[in-house]
Every structure is written in structure tokens, then in C-alpha cells.
Amino acid sequence: MNWLTRLLSNRTDTASLDVALRDAIANWEALAAPDLGTAHFETRYVVINTEASGLDLDKDRLLAVAAIAIDRERLSPHDSYYAPLEPDAATALTNLLTFVGKGPVVVFNASFNRSLLERALDEHLRLTPDWTWLDLHWILPALYDEHIDRPARLGDWMKAFGIETFQRHHALGDAWAIAQLMLAAQARARSLGLNTPRSLADLEHSRRQLRRHG
Amino acid sequence: MPAAASEMLVGASSDFLTRFSPFNRMEPEALAFLAERSTLAFHARGSEILTPEMGQPTHFHIVQRGKVQARQLGPASVTDYAAMTLGPGECFPIGAISAQRPSTNAYVAVEDSFVYQLPAEDFLKLMQMSPVFHVFCTQYIASLLNQSRQQLQSTFAQRAAEQQTMTTPLGQLVKKEPIFVGPDNTIRAALEKMSEMRIGCMVVADAERKPIGILTQSDLLPRVVLPGIDLQRPICDVMTATPHVMSASDSAYDAALEMATHGVRHLLVVDSEGRLKGVVSERDLFTLQRIGLRQIRSSIEGADDLEALQRASRDIRQLALNLIAQGIGAEQLTQFISALNDALTCRIIDLARTRHELYGIDYAWLAFGSEGRHEQTLSSDQDNGIIYVCPEGADRDALKNRLLACAKEVNENLAACGFPLCKGNIMASNPELCLTLEEWKGRFGDWIREPDPQALLNATIFFDYRVLCGNERLGDQLRAWLNRTAKAYSNFLRLMASNALQVAPPLGRIRDFVVEEDGTIDLKKSGARLFVDVARILALRADVASSSTVQRLRQAGTRMGMPAEEIAALIDGFHFIQLLRLRSQHLDTEHDAPGDNRINPDALNELDRRILKEAFRQARKLQLRLKLDYQL
């Protein structure tokens, strides 16, 4: 988000935020952009997942955020984050930023998750992160077309891989399943010579194009 | 609230793990530790997860989903399976990661698989932390041990079956190339050859290798020496023409019958064309006969001359081979050997006593060293001594001299029965080792109070004593006094400990084993002794009366609060090394080479190598305990 939008916005000023939060945001902003050309085994991806009051972007609101890191192709339970937005949305979102860093981020169904999250970040923190979003919704069928050859629901992919989670439709519970899918995605991508976040982004891009024109 | 998220994910992992054994039985803290430290990774179908080339494994793996195949590499078969598939909840590599050596299997994902990984150092911590997990891992090792024993059993059963039946064809009995001379060779040349080859008879054969005569040692006196025959004459002048010849397809039984009928001790074995194949002696046939424990026992008890005792001693060795063939473990085996050797020694002493007036003398015959520990292998030499009581007013020198004279005969007869005389003169016939109870206390006390290197060395030999025959109470009194005294001098035990740590288990960081220049490992010096030395110290500390290493570890370990599985693992390790020693000695003695304690680890099969490594690791554990206890 640039200075112009911020200036034109009529929402709460970030100046009203707690000092600690402002520091945290400043620290986050100062982080260097990730190198999208590094290999998977040198990259920290963060799976982000949201939980909303419903599926209507116009009416429903964000209830909770969850994130799980996949660092060097491993998933560690300690490298994870979960917070409901009530009662303190600004803190929950600032901590999410701190946890995620500058990405790349992995989501399942970006159109919903991303819109919901960007709106909340804009509303509470007045910023829109410049993350590289990788959407498994598009990437998985490109990599594992022997399982499902078109964009499908998370539940279908979980079934295809036999993945289970402790709680469906919970931000972290679904993030756990998405993260496992990401592990699988990395391995298949690597075997196809797609070794970097950038190559995953390119794969997703070409898939979307194909879909649009095909 | 980042803690909440990781708690949920840890919970997800532990929920998964508790579906499987041993994790479902694991202590809650240990399970939490495992779930917390484990990370999840994915292995695409066909990818290698762990191979021997990757070196020491950095992670312990638990399959979460998918299938992983464990495939054995190399020619030797390690386990019953050549390839085994691991599914959810199964883990690898247990042996390699506990022994901190490269895996012997290759683990390959045969399906897309999710696998939990626990760093190696956390695995070792988990082993310490969780008795359940520890038992699980040690049982896995134990099952390997069991497989090894079965393998050993079948190898020996086959050997024994080949060797023991009297129906064995003679062709199989003769393994050495026959030694013979032509009829025109001089008597001198023939005798020189007999002497050089240490054989009891010389076969004379013609140019086509067909036997035409024989000359045995017993022929020499009447035919050569007494008549004063010129040794330059040809051998055909003195040989027995038309020797007893049997076909290679005849059985051992036929041969025995032939020998008994004609009163000969050697038979020539020929092939189907009448060419010399070898010589069968009476002794060769003797070893074929099945020898039972009870028969040996009663033959020892009934023996009334040296010759009968020598026969019994040979029988004991043969029995040991049979027992290994039946798959008996090292512990029972050494117990049998030790019991029979005890009986033999006692019989020798009994026989000697009839020739030396010892009536009324209160004494005990002591066995030291390995015999004292009930751990005699087949090539142990003698280590013995005497405790006696000198009644008031008795002539001590005269009494001692009588004991010494008797002991000398016993020592010599033991030597004649296959227990070599001790080079260091640790024998009852040595006046220094035939002492009263008070003198022994004085001797032991000096070593404990002034533990110089020689005293410490002495302690390692003499403190492992037991009463073999005579008045056992004398030994008990000495033991009680010794344990009390040693415990009071903590510096002595500390020095013993530091001495025991001089030799480390021959495990390498890079290579599997640290071998000596000739590529071998001394299983006594760098194996069994590591256990023996620590067990002795623990026994002195915990006031254990037994002199056997296994009993010492068991009793002292229990008193010191060591978990039973840990003690069992130590004992298994010790037994395995002892079993390898016995086995190599046995194989060696069969080939008439002197039995020793060296083995070449490369010559072992893969399974034995793995277990040997685990055994050494147990020794290292035992040493570590000592190191910590004494801050060394």
C-alpha cells in the first residue's frame, strides 16, 4: 500500500497504535524482500490460513488467522502462529506480520483468504504486504494431475493424499493440512526441476492463464 | 499467542503417535518431548530417505503416512528379511542411530510418504528419558541377538551333524592332504618327515600313489632302533607291507570295527581307483562319538589315573562344540565348561591327596582370574592358589610344604589335561600363593592401602577368586573382609576405576571398529575385560560376594538402582563377546591352531558385526557410568 491510499483513507490512524506494535510494524517494514530464486531447501515458506464468519466477502468478517512455516522443507510444530482477531485485532495482525516476515506465503484459495486478510490488514494496520502469494489451489493440480487435474477443494486434496488434521474449518487445523500439501508440492516441484519459489509462482501464473484462455 | 498454535500442532502429532506402540505406552513427558522435537518431512515415491552412504543418521524417522521399504545392502544376510515395508507408526533406523553408525539398510519411500524426523541427539535423550522407549529399542537389539544365535545354531548344527555320526563316510573325515614317501626313500628321510610334520605314521606309496606299506611310531622301537638298522636303507625294508586299506565310501563305523578287529590305530583311505586319499586314526574316530554331559561327569568322577582324566578333558572340549551346536547361549555354555572343569580339577586334587598326607589340614583350593569368575574359555591357563589354616602349635613350615608338594602335582596334572601352566607362576605350588587366611588378608590389605600399578594389576587377578574345593567358609571369610576393606579405601576404588578406563571399546568415529595393525580386535583385552573390570569395582562397592562378572553386574546394578533392562542389555553385550571368543577358539582349535581371542570384524557376518558394535557400546555405557561416579 502506498502513501496515497493511506492519505486518502478515512480509517483509524496508525498513530493511535501502541508503541510496541508500531515498532514491530516498522521492523517488519524494514525487512529485506526475499530472494525468490533460492532453492526450496533454503527457503522459509509460510502457510497462511484464515477463518471467517462465512464465505461471503462482502458480509463476512475475519475471525482468526493462522500460519505455519515450512523451513527448509520441514514442518516444525514450533514454527507456527494462531490468533483470533477478538479482542485485539491490531496485535493479532501485527504478530502475524512478524511471524510471516516478507514471505513467500502459501495459501489455499487465495481469492478468498487473500482478500479477507488484506482487507483486515488495511483496516487495522493501514498496510498491504507485498507478499508473493502462492496458491496451492492452482499449483497442486499442476503438480499432481494424477490425483486431481483441476482446481479442487481442500477436502478433496486431503483425501487424495490421505492427509488428516485435528480440526477442519479451524484456521490452524486447515493450515496444518495445507502445510502438509505444501511439503508434497515442494517434493514434486523439485523432481520436475521447479526448484524455487519463483518457479512455483510461474507455474501458478501459467495455470491461471491456461484456465482463462482455455 | 504463538504458544497456543504450537501446542495444537504438538497435540496433533502426539494424537497420531498414540495410535501406535510403543508411543501409546510412553510416559506423557516423553511423548510430549518426542512430539515437540519432531518435524514433518515428505518423501516422494522412489526417493531415498536414508542409505549407508549418508553416514551416521542425523535423524530418527517415524512414518506418518505412506510406505517405506527397508532394503538390505551387501551380500550378507542381516536378518530374516531381505526387504521389509514400514507403514504408519513404524520407525527406523533403531540399531544404527543408537549405535551412532551408518545404517546397514537403505530406506526408500515406495509411496509418497510423510515422515516425522527426530534429531539424533533428541533420540538419545528420549532413550534416557523414557524407560518404555528404551525397552522398545533394546528389545529390538535383543531380537537381533536372537537371530544371530539362531544363525550360529544352524551353522554349528550342520557342522556337528557332519562330524558326529559314525555313518560319516571316511572320505569326508580325511581333510588333510596325505603325507607319504616312495618305497626307495631312506628310513632317515621318512623319519625326518614324520618328525617335521608331527605325524604318528608314514605311508609308503608307489609312483601311482597307491599305498604299499606303512610305518608307525610303535614300529620304530622293534624294527629300527633295537636292531640298529642303518637309516640309509630304504623304508620298504622296515615298513609293514599290505597295510589296512579302506575305501573312502566306507563309514566311520566300519573303520572303528576294522581297528578293533585288527588292533591297528591307523587306516589308509583310498579312492575308487585305489589311490591314497588320507589316513584315519583312532583319535579321529573318537571325536565322532557323541559325548554327553552325564557321561563326562561320571567318567571324571570314576577316573583314577591321569590318562582317564585327559580323556575327560578332551571330552569336555568336544561337548562344548556340541553345546554350541545345540544353540546354547554363552552363559550356560561357560557354566557347563566351568562346572566340568571344576569337577575335573577336584578329581585331580582328590587323586593327588591320596599320595600326599593332608589329613586334618583345613584348606581351600582357590581359582583366580577367569576361572574364578566362572568365565573360563577353552584356552585359559591355570590361575590358582590355596588358603589354609595353621592350627596352634602346628609346625607351619612342614604343613605348608606338604600342601605345596601336593599342589605341585595338581598343577602338573592340570597341565597334562590341557590347562597350561601359568607363565606368571600364579599357581598353588608357588609358596607365595599358598597362604593362611591372615596372610591373604595382609596381602590384599597391602594392595588396597598402597595401590601402585602392580598392586592394582594383582587386584584384578586375585580379587576374582572363588573356592573350588575344600573349606568354602575360608573363602567367605576372606570375601567379607575384602569387601569391607576395599569400600573403606575410596582412593583404592578410584584408582581401580581409572585403571579400568585405560582401554576404550574399539569403536571408531569414522570407521565401524578400531582395529589393530593386523586388522583384528582382541576380544579379551578390548572386549570382555572392559565389562569384567567395571563389574569388579561395582561389586566391591556394592558388597557383592559373587566373583562372576554377570552376577556382579546383576547384583551390584540392582543395588545401585540401575533399571533391569539396562542391566540385561549390558549382560547381553558381555555374553555376545564371550560367545564370539568361544566360537573363534573352537574353530581355531579344530584347525590345530592355538586358540586366541582375536577376531577380524570384516570376517563376521553383517548381523554379528552389528551386535558386536552394540556390545561395545554397552561397554562404553558401563565405562561412562564409572567415569561419572568417580569424576574421571
Side-chain angles (χ1 to χ4, degrees), chain A residues 147-181:
Chain A
H147 286 316
I148 306 173
D149 60 359
R150 67 205 132 71
R153 289 179 306 177
L154 178 60
D156 297 332
W157 282 108
M158 288 172 67
K159 213 175 189 178
F161 279 91
I163 288 172
E164 297 164 27
T165 184
F166 51 95
Q167 196 177 348
R168 274 302 320 260
H169 309 300
H170 173 282
L172 189 71
D174 283 353
W176 173 239
I178 297 165
Q180 293 178 61
L181 287 169

mmCIF file of all heavy atoms in Angstrom, chain A residues 147-181:
data_model
loop_
_atom_site.group_PDB
_atom_site.id
_atom_site.type_symbol
_atom_site.label_atom_id
_atom_site.label_comp_id
_atom_site.label_asym_id
_atom_site.label_seq_id
_atom_site.Cartn_x
_atom_site.Cartn_y
_atom_site.Cartn_z
ATOM 1 N N HIS A 147 -3.653 -37.147 -9.415
ATOM 2 C CA HIS A 147 -4.675 -37.193 -8.360
ATOM 3 C C HIS A 147 -5.928 -36.440 -8.803
ATOM 4 O O HIS A 147 -7.011 -37.004 -8.883
ATOM 5 C CB HIS A 147 -4.148 -36.570 -7.060
ATOM 6 C CG HIS A 147 -3.162 -37.446 -6.347
ATOM 7 N ND1 HIS A 147 -3.352 -38.787 -6.178
ATOM 8 C CD2 HIS A 147 -1.979 -37.153 -5.761
ATOM 9 C CE1 HIS A 147 -2.321 -39.295 -5.522
ATOM 10 N NE2 HIS A 147 -1.468 -38.330 -5.255
ATOM 11 N N ILE A 148 -5.758 -35.141 -9.045
ATOM 12 C CA ILE A 148 -6.897 -34.310 -9.465
ATOM 13 C C ILE A 148 -6.341 -33.326 -10.501
ATOM 14 O O ILE A 148 -5.329 -32.685 -10.260
ATOM 15 C CB ILE A 148 -7.473 -33.501 -8.275
ATOM 16 C CG1 ILE A 148 -7.816 -34.431 -7.093
ATOM 17 C CG2 ILE A 148 -8.723 -32.713 -8.720
ATOM 18 C CD1 ILE A 148 -8.240 -33.701 -5.832
ATOM 19 N N ASP A 149 -7.006 -33.219 -11.659
ATOM 20 C CA ASP A 149 -6.399 -32.409 -12.721
ATOM 21 C C ASP A 149 -7.053 -31.045 -12.894
ATOM 22 O O ASP A 149 -6.941 -30.412 -13.932
ATOM 23 C CB ASP A 149 -6.372 -33.189 -14.043
ATOM 24 C CG ASP A 149 -7.788 -33.558 -14.472
ATOM 25 O OD1 ASP A 149 -8.740 -33.212 -13.712
ATOM 26 O OD2 ASP A 149 -7.936 -34.173 -15.530
ATOM 27 N N ARG A 150 -7.793 -30.614 -11.911
ATOM 28 C CA ARG A 150 -8.395 -29.276 -11.986
ATOM 29 C C ARG A 150 -8.430 -28.706 -10.582
ATOM 30 O O ARG A 150 -8.310 -29.464 -9.609
ATOM 31 C CB ARG A 150 -9.809 -29.386 -12.546
ATOM 32 C CG ARG A 150 -10.727 -30.108 -11.577
ATOM 33 C CD ARG A 150 -11.887 -30.772 -12.224
ATOM 34 N NE ARG A 150 -11.980 -32.127 -11.715
ATOM 35 C CZ ARG A 150 -12.360 -32.443 -10.472
ATOM 36 N NH1 ARG A 150 -12.668 -31.502 -9.617
ATOM 37 N NH2 ARG A 150 -12.438 -33.688 -10.078
ATOM 38 N N PRO A 151 -8.610 -27.392 -10.465
ATOM 39 C CA PRO A 151 -8.687 -26.822 -9.120
ATOM 40 C C PRO A 151 -9.806 -27.498 -8.333
ATOM 41 O O PRO A 151 -10.899 -27.691 -8.851
ATOM 42 C CB PRO A 151 -8.999 -25.341 -9.375
ATOM 43 C CG PRO A 151 -8.460 -25.078 -10.740
ATOM 44 C CD PRO A 151 -8.669 -26.350 -11.514
ATOM 45 N N ALA A 152 -9.500 -27.913 -7.123
ATOM 46 C CA ALA A 152 -10.490 -28.643 -6.324
ATOM 47 C C ALA A 152 -10.490 -28.111 -4.906
ATOM 48 O O ALA A 152 -9.664 -27.277 -4.543
ATOM 49 C CB ALA A 152 -10.166 -30.131 -6.342
ATOM 50 N N ARG A 153 -11.369 -28.652 -4.101
ATOM 51 C CA ARG A 153 -11.473 -28.176 -2.727
ATOM 52 C C ARG A 153 -10.396 -28.798 -1.856
ATOM 53 O O ARG A 153 -9.864 -29.883 -2.155
ATOM 54 C CB ARG A 153 -12.859 -28.523 -2.164
ATOM 55 C CG ARG A 153 -13.972 -27.680 -2.797
ATOM 56 C CD ARG A 153 -15.291 -28.084 -2.241
ATOM 57 N NE ARG A 153 -15.491 -29.528 -2.386
ATOM 58 C CZ ARG A 153 -16.552 -30.185 -1.934
ATOM 59 N NH1 ARG A 153 -17.491 -29.554 -1.293
ATOM 60 N NH2 ARG A 153 -16.652 -31.477 -2.133
ATOM 61 N N LEU A 154 -10.121 -28.121 -0.772
ATOM 62 C CA LEU A 154 -9.090 -28.612 0.162
ATOM 63 C C LEU A 154 -9.397 -30.033 0.611
ATOM 64 O O LEU A 154 -8.513 -30.890 0.657
ATOM 65 C CB LEU A 154 -9.000 -27.668 1.367
ATOM 66 C CG LEU A 154 -7.999 -28.059 2.454
ATOM 67 C CD1 LEU A 154 -6.577 -28.121 1.902
ATOM 68 C CD2 LEU A 154 -8.056 -27.076 3.625
ATOM 69 N N GLY A 155 -10.677 -30.273 0.935
ATOM 70 C CA GLY A 155 -11.066 -31.608 1.396
ATOM 71 C C GLY A 155 -10.724 -32.687 0.385
ATOM 72 O O GLY A 155 -10.296 -33.792 0.773
ATOM 73 N N ASP A 156 -10.856 -32.381 -0.895
ATOM 74 C CA ASP A 156 -10.538 -33.382 -1.918
ATOM 75 C C ASP A 156 -9.044 -33.684 -1.948
ATOM 76 O O ASP A 156 -8.631 -34.840 -2.117
ATOM 77 C CB ASP A 156 -10.988 -32.873 -3.300
ATOM 78 C CG ASP A 156 -12.502 -32.688 -3.357
ATOM 79 O OD1 ASP A 156 -13.211 -33.414 -2.607
ATOM 80 O OD2 ASP A 156 -12.965 -31.816 -4.120
ATOM 81 N N TRP A 157 -8.264 -32.629 -1.830
ATOM 82 C CA TRP A 157 -6.809 -32.847 -1.826
ATOM 83 C C TRP A 157 -6.361 -33.620 -0.587
ATOM 84 O O TRP A 157 -5.469 -34.463 -0.659
ATOM 85 C CB TRP A 157 -6.056 -31.507 -1.918
ATOM 86 C CG TRP A 157 -6.058 -30.991 -3.324
ATOM 87 C CD1 TRP A 157 -6.754 -29.932 -3.819
ATOM 88 C CD2 TRP A 157 -5.333 -31.557 -4.421
ATOM 89 N NE1 TRP A 157 -6.505 -29.791 -5.168
ATOM 90 C CE2 TRP A 157 -5.642 -30.770 -5.556
ATOM 91 C CE3 TRP A 157 -4.463 -32.635 -4.568
ATOM 92 C CZ2 TRP A 157 -5.101 -31.036 -6.823
ATOM 93 C CZ3 TRP A 157 -3.917 -32.898 -5.818
ATOM 94 C CH2 TRP A 157 -4.250 -32.097 -6.933
ATOM 95 N N MET A 158 -6.960 -33.321 0.534
ATOM 96 C CA MET A 158 -6.610 -34.048 1.757
ATOM 97 C C MET A 158 -6.911 -35.533 1.579
ATOM 98 O O MET A 158 -6.136 -36.390 1.965
ATOM 99 C CB MET A 158 -7.381 -33.483 2.954
ATOM 100 C CG MET A 158 -6.865 -32.115 3.385
ATOM 101 S SD MET A 158 -7.906 -31.345 4.639
ATOM 102 C CE MET A 158 -7.659 -32.440 6.027
ATOM 103 N N LYS A 159 -8.042 -35.792 0.958
ATOM 104 C CA LYS A 159 -8.446 -37.169 0.714
ATOM 105 C C LYS A 159 -7.448 -37.851 -0.236
ATOM 106 O O LYS A 159 -7.020 -38.980 -0.016
ATOM 107 C CB LYS A 159 -9.830 -37.167 0.065
ATOM 108 C CG LYS A 159 -10.689 -38.352 0.442
ATOM 109 C CD LYS A 159 -12.034 -38.078 -0.197
ATOM 110 C CE LYS A 159 -13.127 -39.007 0.213
ATOM 111 N NZ LYS A 159 -14.380 -38.579 -0.456
ATOM 112 N N ALA A 160 -7.070 -37.108 -1.294
ATOM 113 C CA ALA A 160 -6.148 -37.682 -2.282
ATOM 114 C C ALA A 160 -4.816 -38.086 -1.640
ATOM 115 O O ALA A 160 -4.216 -39.095 -2.014
ATOM 116 C CB ALA A 160 -5.909 -36.676 -3.405
ATOM 117 N N PHE A 161 -4.361 -37.306 -0.681
ATOM 118 C CA PHE A 161 -3.082 -37.613 -0.029
ATOM 119 C C PHE A 161 -3.252 -38.356 1.288
ATOM 120 O O PHE A 161 -2.278 -38.684 1.944
ATOM 121 C CB PHE A 161 -2.289 -36.322 0.229
ATOM 122 C CG PHE A 161 -1.561 -35.830 -0.992
ATOM 123 C CD1 PHE A 161 -2.151 -34.938 -1.875
ATOM 124 C CD2 PHE A 161 -0.272 -36.297 -1.264
ATOM 125 C CE1 PHE A 161 -1.476 -34.501 -3.006
ATOM 126 C CE2 PHE A 161 0.399 -35.853 -2.392
ATOM 127 C CZ PHE A 161 -0.202 -34.957 -3.268
ATOM 128 N N GLY A 162 -4.498 -38.582 1.671
ATOM 129 C CA GLY A 162 -4.724 -39.256 2.951
ATOM 130 C C GLY A 162 -4.334 -38.388 4.132
ATOM 131 O O GLY A 162 -3.991 -38.872 5.201
ATOM 132 N N ILE A 163 -4.369 -37.084 3.929
ATOM 133 C CA ILE A 163 -3.950 -36.168 4.992
ATOM 134 C C ILE A 163 -5.091 -35.962 5.984
ATOM 135 O O ILE A 163 -6.253 -35.843 5.595
ATOM 136 C CB ILE A 163 -3.517 -34.820 4.382
ATOM 137 C CG1 ILE A 163 -2.171 -34.999 3.672
ATOM 138 C CG2 ILE A 163 -3.440 -33.730 5.440
ATOM 139 C CD1 ILE A 163 -1.744 -33.800 2.868
ATOM 140 N N GLU A 164 -4.738 -35.950 7.230
ATOM 141 C CA GLU A 164 -5.743 -35.692 8.268
ATOM 142 C C GLU A 164 -5.356 -34.433 9.026
ATOM 143 O O GLU A 164 -4.209 -34.030 8.998
ATOM 144 C CB GLU A 164 -5.758 -36.853 9.279
ATOM 145 C CG GLU A 164 -6.166 -38.174 8.669
ATOM 146 C CD GLU A 164 -5.800 -39.320 9.581
ATOM 147 O OE1 GLU A 164 -5.724 -39.107 10.802
ATOM 148 O OE2 GLU A 164 -5.573 -40.416 9.064
ATOM 149 N N THR A 165 -6.299 -33.891 9.705
ATOM 150 C CA THR A 165 -5.952 -32.790 10.594
ATOM 151 C C THR A 165 -6.797 -32.889 11.848
ATOM 152 O O THR A 165 -7.758 -33.655 11.899
ATOM 153 C CB THR A 165 -6.123 -31.430 9.909
ATOM 154 O OG1 THR A 165 -5.660 -30.422 10.818
ATOM 155 C CG2 THR A 165 -7.580 -31.146 9.568
ATOM 156 N N PHE A 166 -6.390 -32.129 12.843
ATOM 157 C CA PHE A 166 -7.066 -32.249 14.133
ATOM 158 C C PHE A 166 -8.398 -31.518 14.154
ATOM 159 O O PHE A 166 -9.272 -31.836 14.932
ATOM 160 C CB PHE A 166 -6.150 -31.779 15.268
ATOM 161 C CG PHE A 166 -5.550 -30.428 15.040
ATOM 162 C CD1 PHE A 166 -6.147 -29.299 15.566
ATOM 163 C CD2 PHE A 166 -4.380 -30.290 14.294
ATOM 164 C CE1 PHE A 166 -5.588 -28.061 15.353
ATOM 165 C CE2 PHE A 166 -3.824 -29.049 14.087
ATOM 166 C CZ PHE A 166 -4.431 -27.920 14.611
ATOM 167 N N GLN A 167 -8.576 -30.475 13.310
ATOM 168 C CA GLN A 167 -9.859 -29.775 13.313
ATOM 169 C C GLN A 167 -10.092 -29.084 11.979
ATOM 170 O O GLN A 167 -9.401 -28.117 11.654
ATOM 171 C CB GLN A 167 -9.892 -28.754 14.465
ATOM 172 C CG GLN A 167 -11.299 -28.295 14.757
ATOM 173 C CD GLN A 167 -11.339 -27.347 15.948
ATOM 174 O OE1 GLN A 167 -10.374 -27.205 16.683
ATOM 175 N NE2 GLN A 167 -12.469 -26.695 16.151
ATOM 176 N N ARG A 168 -11.062 -29.570 11.226
ATOM 177 C CA ARG A 168 -11.378 -28.944 9.949
ATOM 178 C C ARG A 168 -12.080 -27.614 10.182
ATOM 179 O O ARG A 168 -12.768 -27.417 11.179
ATOM 180 C CB ARG A 168 -12.313 -29.849 9.130
ATOM 181 C CG ARG A 168 -11.680 -30.930 8.271
ATOM 182 C CD ARG A 168 -10.677 -30.476 7.230
ATOM 183 N NE ARG A 168 -10.938 -29.251 6.482
ATOM 184 C CZ ARG A 168 -11.425 -29.214 5.236
ATOM 185 N NH1 ARG A 168 -11.764 -30.309 4.616
ATOM 186 N NH2 ARG A 168 -11.572 -28.059 4.626
ATOM 187 N N HIS A 169 -11.919 -26.691 9.220
ATOM 188 C CA HIS A 169 -12.558 -25.376 9.233
ATOM 189 C C HIS A 169 -12.135 -24.528 10.412
ATOM 190 O O HIS A 169 -12.821 -23.600 10.805
ATOM 191 C CB HIS A 169 -14.092 -25.510 9.166
ATOM 192 C CG HIS A 169 -14.505 -26.393 8.038
ATOM 193 N ND1 HIS A 169 -14.194 -26.120 6.714
ATOM 194 C CD2 HIS A 169 -15.160 -27.585 8.020
ATOM 195 C CE1 HIS A 169 -14.656 -27.083 5.949
ATOM 196 N NE2 HIS A 169 -15.229 -27.997 6.707
ATOM 197 N N HIS A 170 -11.007 -24.885 10.971
ATOM 198 C CA HIS A 170 -10.392 -24.072 12.010
ATOM 199 C C HIS A 170 -9.158 -23.523 11.323
ATOM 200 O O HIS A 170 -8.504 -24.236 10.540
ATOM 201 C CB HIS A 170 -10.034 -24.989 13.198
ATOM 202 C CG HIS A 170 -9.239 -24.315 14.277
ATOM 203 N ND1 HIS A 170 -7.895 -24.070 14.163
ATOM 204 C CD2 HIS A 170 -9.595 -23.856 15.509
ATOM 205 C CE1 HIS A 170 -7.463 -23.484 15.263
ATOM 206 N NE2 HIS A 170 -8.475 -23.345 16.102
ATOM 207 N N ALA A 171 -8.834 -22.249 11.566
ATOM 208 C CA ALA A 171 -7.739 -21.637 10.805
ATOM 209 C C ALA A 171 -6.466 -22.470 10.874
ATOM 210 O O ALA A 171 -5.822 -22.743 9.859
ATOM 211 C CB ALA A 171 -7.476 -20.216 11.312
ATOM 212 N N LEU A 172 -6.089 -22.898 12.091
ATOM 213 C CA LEU A 172 -4.834 -23.645 12.223
ATOM 214 C C LEU A 172 -4.998 -25.089 11.760
ATOM 215 O O LEU A 172 -4.092 -25.664 11.145
ATOM 216 C CB LEU A 172 -4.347 -23.606 13.682
ATOM 217 C CG LEU A 172 -2.942 -24.157 13.896
ATOM 218 C CD1 LEU A 172 -1.882 -23.216 13.321
ATOM 219 C CD2 LEU A 172 -2.660 -24.399 15.378
ATOM 220 N N GLY A 173 -6.178 -25.656 12.055
ATOM 221 C CA GLY A 173 -6.418 -27.044 11.650
ATOM 222 C C GLY A 173 -6.285 -27.201 10.145
ATOM 223 O O GLY A 173 -5.627 -28.119 9.658
ATOM 224 N N ASP A 174 -6.870 -26.302 9.386
ATOM 225 C CA ASP A 174 -6.751 -26.379 7.940
ATOM 226 C C ASP A 174 -5.339 -26.001 7.487
ATOM 227 O O ASP A 174 -4.820 -26.576 6.519
ATOM 228 C CB ASP A 174 -7.792 -25.465 7.257
ATOM 229 C CG ASP A 174 -9.185 -26.108 7.274
ATOM 230 O OD1 ASP A 174 -9.282 -27.296 7.680
ATOM 231 O OD2 ASP A 174 -10.157 -25.430 6.902
ATOM 232 N N ALA A 175 -4.729 -25.057 8.193
ATOM 233 C CA ALA A 175 -3.354 -24.676 7.836
ATOM 234 C C ALA A 175 -2.428 -25.892 7.951
ATOM 235 O O ALA A 175 -1.509 -26.082 7.144
ATOM 236 C CB ALA A 175 -2.855 -23.551 8.746
ATOM 237 N N TRP A 176 -2.659 -26.732 8.934
ATOM 238 C CA TRP A 176 -1.854 -27.946 9.147
ATOM 239 C C TRP A 176 -1.950 -28.873 7.935
ATOM 240 O O TRP A 176 -0.956 -29.411 7.448
ATOM 241 C CB TRP A 176 -2.356 -28.617 10.425
ATOM 242 C CG TRP A 176 -1.805 -29.969 10.790
ATOM 243 C CD1 TRP A 176 -2.537 -31.103 10.964
ATOM 244 C CD2 TRP A 176 -0.448 -30.324 11.066
ATOM 245 N NE1 TRP A 176 -1.735 -32.137 11.334
ATOM 246 C CE2 TRP A 176 -0.434 -31.696 11.394
ATOM 247 C CE3 TRP A 176 0.755 -29.631 11.056
ATOM 248 C CZ2 TRP A 176 0.729 -32.390 11.721
ATOM 249 C CZ3 TRP A 176 1.920 -30.319 11.383
ATOM 250 C CH2 TRP A 176 1.907 -31.679 11.704
ATOM 251 N N ALA A 177 -3.178 -28.981 7.399
ATOM 252 C CA ALA A 177 -3.366 -29.812 6.218
ATOM 253 C C ALA A 177 -2.722 -29.155 4.992
ATOM 254 O O ALA A 177 -2.058 -29.818 4.188
ATOM 255 C CB ALA A 177 -4.856 -30.032 5.977
ATOM 256 N N ILE A 178 -2.888 -27.844 4.879
ATOM 257 C CA ILE A 178 -2.316 -27.129 3.725
ATOM 258 C C ILE A 178 -0.791 -27.226 3.750
ATOM 259 O O ILE A 178 -0.146 -27.425 2.722
ATOM 260 C CB ILE A 178 -2.778 -25.648 3.726
ATOM 261 C CG1 ILE A 178 -4.303 -25.579 3.576
ATOM 262 C CG2 ILE A 178 -2.092 -24.861 2.615
ATOM 263 C CD1 ILE A 178 -4.896 -24.220 3.923
ATOM 264 N N ALA A 179 -0.247 -27.112 4.957
ATOM 265 C CA ALA A 179 1.208 -27.182 5.080
ATOM 266 C C ALA A 179 1.718 -28.550 4.622
ATOM 267 O O ALA A 179 2.759 -28.658 3.967
ATOM 268 C CB ALA A 179 1.627 -26.911 6.524
ATOM 269 N N GLN A 180 0.999 -29.598 4.964
ATOM 270 C CA GLN A 180 1.418 -30.932 4.526
ATOM 271 C C GLN A 180 1.332 -31.052 3.004
ATOM 272 O O GLN A 180 2.194 -31.643 2.368
ATOM 273 C CB GLN A 180 0.572 -32.006 5.210
ATOM 274 C CG GLN A 180 0.829 -32.055 6.721
ATOM 275 C CD GLN A 180 -0.035 -33.091 7.418
ATOM 276 O OE1 GLN A 180 0.044 -34.270 7.127
ATOM 277 N NE2 GLN A 180 -0.863 -32.634 8.338
ATOM 278 N N LEU A 181 0.284 -30.434 2.440
ATOM 279 C CA LEU A 181 0.185 -30.430 0.977
ATOM 280 C C LEU A 181 1.352 -29.673 0.363
ATOM 281 O O LEU A 181 1.872 -30.046 -0.688
ATOM 282 C CB LEU A 181 -1.146 -29.798 0.550
ATOM 283 C CG LEU A 181 -2.384 -30.670 0.794
ATOM 284 C CD1 LEU A 181 -3.661 -29.865 0.586
ATOM 285 C CD2 LEU A 181 -2.359 -31.896 -0.133
#
